[in-house]
Amino acid sequence: METKNVMIVGVGGQGSLLASKLLGKLLLDEGYDVKVSEVHGMSQRGGSVVTYVRFGDKVYSPVIDKGQADYIVSFELLEAARWLPYLKKDGQVVTNIQQIDPMPVITGAMEYPKDLVDKMKALGAKVDALDCLALAEQAGSAKAVNIVLMGRLSHYFDIPKDAWMKAMEQIVPAKFLEMNKKAFELGEKA
Amino acid sequence: MKELMLGNKAFARGLYEAGCSFVSSYPGTPSTEVTEEAAKYDEIYCEWAPNEKVAMEAAFGASLAGRRSFCGMKHVGLNVAADPLYTMSYTGVNGGVVICVADDAGMHSSQNEQDSRHHAIASKVPMLEPSDSAEALTFAKLAYEISEEYDTPVIMKMCTRVAHSQSVVETSERVLPERKAYEKNIPKYVMMPGNAIRRHPFVEDRMARLAAWAEKSEINRVESAAGSGKSPSGRKVGIITSSTSYQYVKEVFGNTVSVLKLGMVNPLPRDLILSFAKDNEVLIVVEELDPIIETHCKSLGLSVHGKDLLPICGEFSQNLIRECLASFVWGQSHEADRELTVSDQIPMRPPVMCAGCPHRGLFYTLSKQKCTVLGDIGCYTLGAVAPLSAIDMTLCMGASVSAIHGFNVASKEDEDKRVVAVIGDSTFMHSGMTGLANIAYNQSDSTVIILDNSITGMTGHQQNPTTGYNIKGDPAGKIDLEALCRSMGFERVRVVDPYDLKACEEAVKEEVAAKEPSVIISRRPCALLKYVKHNPPLTVNKDKCVGCKSCMKIGCPAISMKDGKAHIDTTLCVGCGVCQQLCPVGALEGCKKEEG
Ligand SMILES: Cc1ncc(C[n+]2csc(CCOP(=O)(O)OP(=O)(O)O)c2C)c(N)n1
Ligand code: SF4
């Protein structure tokens, strides 16, 4: 199989680590070669963060380049637009519609761009936008945004739900498992 | 067992399996996790040292005592540890010594982009370079064998993409070699001229023997092109590469080219490269940063491409390799796909000091006092960012304290100069103390501010000698900063709470004006530490707020303006109360200012 590329983007501290861990585990269990790559360091201080997940028969490069992402999973709307140049033709964006103002917006130097979902669609990108924060809260915790997004992503993957659940059981602490399963389902059905 | 593992964790696993039993390191992105992961194994003694030189010398001591030891650092850390390294090359080792140095092409979190291979060449120490997690694990084990067989420290060069990528590894059991007896050996271990003169030829001979090893080792391997071996351009193309560059080359060209993949980058093989050259019509060296393999090839009389096609600055990627090399390999240039880009300007999202960061209040004061601030490296370097813009210089760890002395001596006649040095607690322990000794000794009326947030924040919260805890989080020795400064002869040593703007201003004004050396310790723990109890978020009294933006001057990510009034993001605000002290009308309400 040709290598598939998933980018997980968001703002430092939003919990993308758990999402990439879940994906990594799932894909490895499905028998793929997998590489997961992220940059630590400065990004922890509220900066823009990106994780690359690649899988296939044999994966070489640990990173995804412009025009190569089959999926961009975004925790925040502006970040989806920022990384859009990385989307492949026919690639799929799955994004949370939550907005977190970056410093230039906070200081008033710039504006948070409006109608980003429509603008991305107008460019021909396939965009699946949902209010993950509301769904996560409905599941029981605002922190479950990452799992809501994974539930949504599972739509586009040819991997049985059982396998997702099995991977989740191995990644998520037992006491949060039920809540996260609910979050996954809310995302999946949204 | 097969599992997905971070490059740095796989390195730590390799240390464990190889029976390493002593680790001393200083944190630095992207090297830190090797040591943090090693510390999770009870069988390995692990510690954070105050700096890289101390770490390397401690590892040397453990080696003398007969144990396999390790020290880890980022690329610039090796500058600090260069002194022991260059002479450890002469003494050699008893128990094996492996050194991790992690380069940061692209400068994701570093102040420069130096290429560590120069240190390996100059110190005449072998250097291995893994290209993924599996190699990080196996090379770590191999490094110990080389170290003991060839009587040398061995450097493992990581880079951001190998260190911080997870790929599949297979683990095995730990094998603990028997501790080697320590035997007194003055000619080998006492490097005074008479002995060192005899050791230098040993070093040269060792490198020659290692070069011979490099000819045959399986970590330097040729992957031949498929079929006729001709690339689509009709020529036989051979690419010499290593590390993450190898991955990009394989990603783009697969087996349409032949690849010489080097796992050892110092010393480099000769015959292996010459025979690879003979088998190919076009030779390209693909290496990030400096043209080291390329220069070696040229010294063998080969005509190779390298930095004529590829950049020296920044890191590589598959697109970059494709764009730079496609016409050579494919005989035609590569058309990049059209990128989807929204027409709006996307605001940058740069890293900022956290809401409630104790550094903020102090930097607000320095900015208000229009101080010239000689800075250092840590979270507080973000004090250089607008709107605070409160740092004038950042060079390397410790430079603030040394440079303020020179600055003040050289500008003695400037009457109302307001100059301070700022340095974090970890950085002060690393290399600020010696600069402070210079101020105490040569007596310039310099003011040094130690930003004591009780942790090494920037690199992900490691303990240090001032925090009272060790790498495992257990209670440890704790250096008393006030007593330390006083013992050096500083009479003016005072502590302020950076959440208290009035106290900060008073302290800065008085100490800068004082005609003698002084130290201010700005003390409050990092806002992200688990034991720190925060106040509830503030609220804005919209009736009182006049929209003057005074509270915006501190650059707190939790404060913004909405409809002409201040707005507080309650998910970020930790109620530190610094902004409250700036509001002229008392519109920010909620928290009682904590006592103490
Ligand atoms: C020689 C060297 N070693 C390591 C680093 C990586 N590094 C950058 S800042 C820092 C420590 C910062 O800690 P501290 O001084 O306590 O400031 P804080 O980040 O907590 O504000 C380290 C280890 C470096 N830049 N240079
Ligand atoms: S991690 Fe701590 S020291 Fe660093 S910016 Fe955040 S609060 Fe400040």
Side-chain angles (χ1 to χ4, degrees), chain B residues 26-29 52 74 76-77 80 111 359 377-380 397 423-428 430 451 453 455-459 464:
Chain B
Y26 185 72
T29 315
E52 294 86 352
K74 68 185 288 165
V76 286
V80 178
Q111 67 265 37
H359 298 324
I377 305 192
C379 283
Y380 49 94
M397 292 188 79
I423 183 163
D425 49 342
S426 183
T427 306
F428 181 71
H430 178 279
L451 302 162
N453 62 352
I455 204 76
T456 313
M458 181 86 262
T459 44
N464 70 53

Side-chain angles (χ1 to χ4, degrees), chain A residues 45, chain B residues 353-354 357-359 379 453 457 461 526-528:
Chain A
R45 312 281 166 276
Chain B
M353 278 181 203
C354 306
C357 175
H359 298 324
C379 283
N453 62 352
H461 300 94
C526 162
L528 297 192

Side-chain angles (χ1 to χ4, degrees), chain A residues 15-32:
Chain A
S16 59
L17 222 61
L18 188 77
S20 61
K21 216 168 153 187
L22 176 65
L23 265 186
K25 182 82 196 131
L26 171 80
L27 296 164
L28 193 68
D29 287 350
E30 288 294 296
Y32 295 110

Side-chain angles (χ1 to χ4, degrees), chain B residues 398-417:
Chain B
S400 59
V401 186
S402 326
I404 191 177
H405 174 75
F407 194 94
N408 282 342
V409 169
S411 56
K412 236 186 193 136
E413 61 277 12
D414 304 354
E415 257 314 304
D416 63 307
K417 66 175 161 55

Side-chain angles (χ1 to χ4, degrees), chain B residues 252-548:
Chain B
V252 174
F253 299 118
N255 55 10
T256 63
V257 297
S258 295
V259 173
L260 171 55
K261 187 209 176 275
L262 298 172
M264 182 187 249
V265 289
N266 189 52
L268 290 165
R270 177 176 177 278
D271 296 343
L272 182 62
I273 291 177
L274 287 175
S275 90
F276 184 71
K278 214 188 274 160
D279 290 342
N280 289 285
E281 290 154 332
V282 182
L283 268 194
I284 309 172
V285 177
V286 180
E287 58 189 324
E288 279 180 336
L289 303 175
D290 295 337
I292 287 174
I293 302 172
E294 180 182 345
T295 306
H296 175 74
C297 291
K298 287 180 174 159
S299 79
L300 298 177
L302 296 172
S303 130
V304 293
H305 293 286
K307 295 299 169 184
D308 54 334
L309 304 174
L310 292 155
I312 288 185
C313 304
E315 65 172 340
F316 290 177
S317 69
Q318 52 264 39
N319 278 3
L320 181 132
I321 297 296
R322 190 177 292 117
E323 276 153 33
C324 296
L325 302 184
S327 52
F328 260 78
V329 179
W330 290 330
Q332 62 187 58
S333 61
H334 165 78
E335 285 272 329
D337 285 335
R338 195 177 61 91
E339 287 164 18
L340 300 182
T341 312
V342 294
S343 57
D344 299 68
Q345 240 206 320
I346 306 280
M348 295 277 288
R349 199 186 289 277
V352 287
M353 278 181 203
C354 306
C357 175
H359 298 324
R360 185 173 281 106
L362 202 273
F363 278 107
Y364 171 74
T365 307
L366 298 178
S367 159
K368 189 172 164 211
Q369 293 298 310
K370 302 206 164 41
C371 290
T372 298
V373 180
L374 302 184
D376 226 295
I377 305 192
C379 283
Y380 49 94
T381 310
L382 294 169
V385 177
L388 292 167
S389 309
I391 291 186
D392 291 76
M393 179 283 284
T394 294
L395 183 66
C396 63
M397 292 188 79
S400 59
V401 186
S402 326
I404 191 177
H405 174 75
F407 194 94
N408 282 342
V409 169
S411 56
K412 236 186 193 136
E413 61 277 12
D414 304 354
E415 257 314 304
D416 63 307
K417 66 175 161 55
R418 266 173 280 187
V419 191
V420 299
V422 293
I423 183 163
D425 49 342
S426 183
T427 306
F428 181 71
M429 282 293 123
H430 178 279
S431 47
M433 289 189 288
T434 38
L436 202 68
N438 193 35
I439 295 173
Y441 172 42
N442 287 310
Q443 291 283 308
S444 58
D445 52 1
S446 299
T447 301
V448 173
I449 304 177
I450 303 175
L451 302 162
D452 180 10
N453 62 352
S454 276
I455 204 76
T456 313
M458 181 86 262
T459 44
H461 300 94
Q462 291 78 27
Q463 304 294 343
N464 70 53
T466 70
T467 66
Y469 295 93
N470 66 19
I471 192 170
K472 302 220 180 206
D474 297 328
K478 179 173 164 66
I479 288 175
D480 179 335
L481 287 172
E482 293 93 304
L484 175 74
C485 298
R486 290 213 175 87
S487 73
M488 283 192 184
F490 283 77
E491 305 217 334
R492 302 186 71 97
V493 178
R494 64 200 275 179
V495 178
V496 292
D497 176 1
Y499 278 3
D500 184 343
L501 294 183
K502 209 164 133 245
C504 286
E505 187 166 325
E506 240 172 60
V508 169
K509 275 188 177 159
E510 288 173 19
E511 298 313 322
V512 166
K515 291 281 165 249
E516 60 179 301
S518 59
V519 173
I520 301 172
I521 299 168
S522 168
R523 177 169 292 147
R524 184 167 271 275
C526 162
L528 297 192
L529 296 182
K530 287 215 177 72
Y531 66 80
V532 172
K533 296 268 175 294
H534 293 300
N535 292 322
L538 303 189
T539 52
V540 181
N541 184 329
K542 300 266 178 202
D543 295 332
K544 283 192 188 167
C545 176
V546 292
C548 69

